Short mmCIF file of all heavy atoms in Angstrom, two decimals:
data_model
loop_
_atom_site.label_atom_id
_atom_site.label_comp_id
_atom_site.label_asym_id
_atom_site.label_seq_id
_atom_site.Cartn_x
_atom_site.Cartn_y
_atom_site.Cartn_z
N LEU A 1 5.18 106.86 -19.79
CA LEU A 1 6.03 107.79 -20.49
C LEU A 1 6.49 108.93 -19.59
O LEU A 1 7.68 109.26 -19.54
CB LEU A 1 5.24 108.37 -21.67
CG LEU A 1 5.97 109.21 -22.70
CD1 LEU A 1 7.08 108.39 -23.36
CD2 LEU A 1 4.99 109.68 -23.75
N LEU A 2 5.62 109.47 -18.81
CA LEU A 2 5.97 110.60 -17.96
C LEU A 2 6.92 110.13 -16.85
O LEU A 2 7.89 110.85 -16.53
CB LEU A 2 4.71 111.22 -17.35
CG LEU A 2 4.92 112.57 -16.64
CD1 LEU A 2 5.53 113.60 -17.61
CD2 LEU A 2 3.62 113.07 -16.09
N ILE A 3 6.70 108.97 -16.30
CA ILE A 3 7.57 108.44 -15.28
C ILE A 3 8.95 108.13 -15.85
O ILE A 3 10.00 108.52 -15.23
CB ILE A 3 7.00 107.16 -14.63
CG1 ILE A 3 5.62 107.42 -14.01
CG2 ILE A 3 7.95 106.57 -13.62
CD1 ILE A 3 5.58 108.47 -12.96
N GLN A 4 9.01 107.49 -17.01
CA GLN A 4 10.31 107.16 -17.62
C GLN A 4 11.06 108.43 -17.99
O GLN A 4 12.27 108.52 -17.79
CB GLN A 4 10.13 106.29 -18.87
CG GLN A 4 9.32 105.01 -18.68
CD GLN A 4 9.96 104.03 -17.76
OE1 GLN A 4 10.49 104.36 -16.70
NE2 GLN A 4 9.90 102.75 -18.12
N TYR A 5 10.34 109.42 -18.51
CA TYR A 5 10.97 110.70 -18.88
C TYR A 5 11.59 111.37 -17.66
O TYR A 5 12.72 111.86 -17.72
CB TYR A 5 9.93 111.59 -19.54
CG TYR A 5 10.39 113.01 -19.82
CD1 TYR A 5 11.27 113.29 -20.84
CD2 TYR A 5 9.92 114.06 -19.03
CE1 TYR A 5 11.67 114.59 -21.08
CE2 TYR A 5 10.33 115.36 -19.26
CZ TYR A 5 11.20 115.62 -20.30
OH TYR A 5 11.61 116.89 -20.53
N SER A 6 10.85 111.41 -16.57
CA SER A 6 11.38 112.08 -15.36
C SER A 6 12.53 111.29 -14.72
O SER A 6 13.36 111.87 -14.07
CB SER A 6 10.25 112.31 -14.35
OG SER A 6 9.80 111.10 -13.83
N THR A 7 12.55 109.98 -14.90
CA THR A 7 13.57 109.16 -14.28
C THR A 7 14.82 109.03 -15.16
O THR A 7 15.93 109.10 -14.67
CB THR A 7 13.02 107.75 -13.98
OG1 THR A 7 11.83 107.88 -13.20
CG2 THR A 7 14.02 106.89 -13.25
N PHE A 8 14.62 108.81 -16.47
CA PHE A 8 15.74 108.48 -17.34
C PHE A 8 16.08 109.59 -18.37
O PHE A 8 17.03 109.43 -19.13
CB PHE A 8 15.47 107.18 -18.09
CG PHE A 8 15.36 106.00 -17.16
CD1 PHE A 8 14.11 105.51 -16.82
CD2 PHE A 8 16.48 105.38 -16.61
CE1 PHE A 8 13.98 104.43 -15.96
CE2 PHE A 8 16.35 104.32 -15.77
CZ PHE A 8 15.11 103.85 -15.42
N GLY A 9 15.30 110.65 -18.43
CA GLY A 9 15.59 111.75 -19.37
C GLY A 9 14.90 111.58 -20.70
O GLY A 9 14.34 110.53 -21.01
N TRP A 10 14.99 112.65 -21.48
CA TRP A 10 14.24 112.68 -22.74
C TRP A 10 14.88 111.82 -23.82
O TRP A 10 14.17 111.25 -24.64
CB TRP A 10 14.05 114.11 -23.22
CG TRP A 10 15.31 114.78 -23.68
CD1 TRP A 10 16.17 115.54 -22.95
CD2 TRP A 10 15.85 114.75 -24.99
NE1 TRP A 10 17.20 115.99 -23.71
CE2 TRP A 10 17.04 115.50 -24.97
CE3 TRP A 10 15.45 114.15 -26.17
CZ2 TRP A 10 17.83 115.66 -26.12
CZ3 TRP A 10 16.26 114.30 -27.31
CH2 TRP A 10 17.42 115.08 -27.26
N ALA A 11 16.22 111.72 -23.86
CA ALA A 11 16.86 111.00 -24.95
C ALA A 11 16.51 109.52 -24.98
O ALA A 11 16.07 108.96 -26.01
CB ALA A 11 18.35 111.20 -24.89
N LEU A 12 16.72 108.82 -23.84
CA LEU A 12 16.39 107.41 -23.77
C LEU A 12 14.89 107.18 -23.95
O LEU A 12 14.47 106.22 -24.62
CB LEU A 12 16.84 106.80 -22.45
CG LEU A 12 18.32 106.54 -22.26
CD1 LEU A 12 18.59 105.97 -20.88
CD2 LEU A 12 18.87 105.64 -23.34
N THR A 13 14.08 108.03 -23.36
CA THR A 13 12.64 107.88 -23.45
C THR A 13 12.14 108.06 -24.87
O THR A 13 11.34 107.28 -25.39
CB THR A 13 11.93 108.81 -22.48
OG1 THR A 13 12.47 108.62 -21.16
CG2 THR A 13 10.44 108.55 -22.44
N LEU A 14 12.61 109.13 -25.53
CA LEU A 14 12.19 109.38 -26.90
C LEU A 14 12.66 108.30 -27.84
O LEU A 14 11.90 107.85 -28.69
CB LEU A 14 12.70 110.75 -27.34
CG LEU A 14 12.23 111.24 -28.72
CD1 LEU A 14 10.71 111.33 -28.79
CD2 LEU A 14 12.86 112.57 -29.07
N LEU A 15 13.90 107.84 -27.70
CA LEU A 15 14.40 106.77 -28.55
C LEU A 15 13.58 105.49 -28.34
O LEU A 15 13.18 104.83 -29.32
CB LEU A 15 15.88 106.49 -28.23
CG LEU A 15 16.54 105.37 -29.02
CD1 LEU A 15 16.53 105.68 -30.49
CD2 LEU A 15 17.97 105.14 -28.52
N SER A 16 13.27 105.17 -27.12
CA SER A 16 12.46 104.00 -26.80
C SER A 16 11.05 104.15 -27.35
O SER A 16 10.47 103.21 -27.91
CB SER A 16 12.41 103.80 -25.29
OG SER A 16 11.55 102.74 -24.98
N LEU A 17 10.50 105.35 -27.23
CA LEU A 17 9.16 105.60 -27.74
C LEU A 17 9.12 105.42 -29.26
O LEU A 17 8.24 104.76 -29.80
CB LEU A 17 8.74 107.04 -27.39
CG LEU A 17 7.34 107.47 -27.77
CD1 LEU A 17 6.30 106.73 -26.96
CD2 LEU A 17 7.17 108.97 -27.59
N LEU A 18 10.09 106.00 -29.97
CA LEU A 18 10.14 105.88 -31.44
C LEU A 18 10.29 104.43 -31.87
O LEU A 18 9.65 103.96 -32.79
CB LEU A 18 11.28 106.73 -32.00
CG LEU A 18 11.09 108.22 -31.88
CD1 LEU A 18 12.37 108.95 -32.30
CD2 LEU A 18 9.91 108.71 -32.68
N LEU A 19 11.15 103.69 -31.17
CA LEU A 19 11.36 102.29 -31.51
C LEU A 19 10.08 101.46 -31.23
O LEU A 19 9.71 100.64 -32.04
CB LEU A 19 12.53 101.72 -30.70
CG LEU A 19 12.98 100.31 -31.03
CD1 LEU A 19 13.29 100.16 -32.51
CD2 LEU A 19 14.18 99.91 -30.20
N ASN A 20 9.44 101.71 -30.11
CA ASN A 20 8.20 101.00 -29.78
C ASN A 20 7.09 101.28 -30.78
O ASN A 20 6.38 100.36 -31.21
CB ASN A 20 7.72 101.37 -28.37
CG ASN A 20 8.25 100.45 -27.34
OD1 ASN A 20 7.95 99.28 -27.31
ND2 ASN A 20 9.09 100.96 -26.45
N TYR A 21 6.95 102.50 -31.19
CA TYR A 21 5.90 102.86 -32.15
C TYR A 21 6.22 102.32 -33.55
O TYR A 21 5.32 101.96 -34.33
CB TYR A 21 5.62 104.36 -32.17
CG TYR A 21 4.68 104.75 -31.05
CD1 TYR A 21 5.06 104.56 -29.71
CD2 TYR A 21 3.44 105.29 -31.31
CE1 TYR A 21 4.21 104.91 -28.69
CE2 TYR A 21 2.58 105.65 -30.26
CZ TYR A 21 2.97 105.44 -28.96
OH TYR A 21 2.12 105.77 -27.94
N SER A 22 7.53 102.24 -33.90
CA SER A 22 7.91 101.64 -35.15
C SER A 22 7.58 100.14 -35.15
O SER A 22 7.04 99.60 -36.12
CB SER A 22 9.41 101.81 -35.40
OG SER A 22 9.73 103.21 -35.52
N ILE A 23 7.89 99.48 -34.06
CA ILE A 23 7.55 98.05 -33.94
C ILE A 23 6.03 97.88 -33.97
O ILE A 23 5.52 96.99 -34.64
CB ILE A 23 8.13 97.46 -32.65
CG1 ILE A 23 9.66 97.41 -32.75
CG2 ILE A 23 7.54 96.08 -32.36
CD1 ILE A 23 10.37 97.08 -31.43
N GLY A 24 5.31 98.78 -33.26
CA GLY A 24 3.82 98.71 -33.28
C GLY A 24 3.30 98.86 -34.68
O GLY A 24 2.37 98.13 -35.10
N TRP A 25 3.85 99.81 -35.44
CA TRP A 25 3.41 100.04 -36.82
C TRP A 25 3.60 98.76 -37.64
O TRP A 25 2.71 98.32 -38.36
CB TRP A 25 4.20 101.20 -37.40
CG TRP A 25 3.72 101.64 -38.77
CD1 TRP A 25 3.20 100.89 -39.75
CD2 TRP A 25 3.79 102.97 -39.26
NE1 TRP A 25 2.91 101.66 -40.85
CE2 TRP A 25 3.27 102.97 -40.58
CE3 TRP A 25 4.24 104.17 -38.75
CZ2 TRP A 25 3.18 104.09 -41.38
CZ3 TRP A 25 4.14 105.29 -39.56
CH2 TRP A 25 3.63 105.25 -40.85
N LEU A 26 4.81 98.18 -37.54
CA LEU A 26 5.10 96.96 -38.31
C LEU A 26 4.19 95.80 -37.93
O LEU A 26 3.71 95.06 -38.80
CB LEU A 26 6.56 96.56 -38.14
CG LEU A 26 7.59 97.52 -38.73
CD1 LEU A 26 8.99 97.12 -38.32
CD2 LEU A 26 7.45 97.56 -40.25
N LEU A 27 3.94 95.63 -36.64
CA LEU A 27 3.08 94.55 -36.19
C LEU A 27 1.63 94.74 -36.65
O LEU A 27 0.98 93.79 -37.08
CB LEU A 27 3.13 94.39 -34.65
CG LEU A 27 4.42 93.82 -34.11
CD1 LEU A 27 4.41 93.84 -32.56
CD2 LEU A 27 4.67 92.43 -34.63
N LEU A 28 1.13 95.96 -36.54
CA LEU A 28 -0.23 96.22 -36.97
C LEU A 28 -0.35 96.14 -38.50
O LEU A 28 -1.36 95.63 -39.00
CB LEU A 28 -0.72 97.61 -36.49
CG LEU A 28 -0.93 97.73 -34.99
CD1 LEU A 28 -1.34 99.14 -34.61
CD2 LEU A 28 -1.98 96.74 -34.48
#
C-alpha cells in the first residue's frame, strides 16, 4: 500500500484498496 501510494498517488491506490476489500468481503 505504501509503495503503490507513493508511486501512483492516492486516488488509484484508494480506489484499488476499496475494490479489493469489497471483493474480500464478498469472498469471505
Side-chain angles (χ1 to χ4, degrees):
L1 191 60
L2 193 57
I3 302 300
Q4 305 295 43
Y5 172 74
S6 68
T7 306
F8 297 101
W10 70 269
L12 285 179
T13 306
L14 185 59
L15 179 61
S16 176
L17 183 69
L18 292 172
L19 186 56
N20 268 295
Y21 277 63
S22 298
I23 291 169
W25 187 328
L26 292 172
L27 289 175
L28 291 176

